[in-house]
Amino acid sequence: MDNFKSFSDKYGGAIIGFLIGLILSIILLCTELYKIVIGIALIVVCIYFGNYVQRNKENVKEKMKKFIDKL
């Protein structure tokens, strides 16, 4: 019994996360909601990228200049 308790204490969160992820993936694939999720994820990534570029203009300019010079 101690082995099961230590196993569940150590990996309980991972098992629960796996089960929730499995259920969500089945729901997304069966109802084709994955298209909406991918769209939202793409929007969030673009927002993050735009914010990063705005806050680090000089670093981005220098990195782009180095990249173009390599080509």
Side-chain angles (χ1 to χ4, degrees), residues 10-70:
K10 191 172 186 180
Y11 299 110
I15 293 170
I16 291 171
F18 169 76
L19 292 174
I20 291 172
L22 184 65
I23 292 168
L24 285 176
S25 65
I26 290 171
I27 290 171
L28 288 175
L29 289 175
C30 290
T31 60
E32 295 188 12
L33 284 175
Y34 65 90
K35 294 177 184 176
I36 295 171
V37 172
I38 290 172
I40 292 172
L42 183 63
I43 290 170
V44 169
V45 168
C46 290
I47 289 171
Y48 176 78
F49 182 71
N51 189 31
Y52 175 80
V53 169
Q54 182 181 5
R55 292 183 185 267
N56 300 304
K57 286 180 187 175
E58 296 302 320
N59 291 337
V60 172
K61 282 182 187 177
E62 190 169 320
K63 288 179 184 179
M64 288 293 289
K65 202 179 272 188
K66 287 180 183 179
F67 179 73
I68 291 171
D69 288 341
K70 286 183 183 179

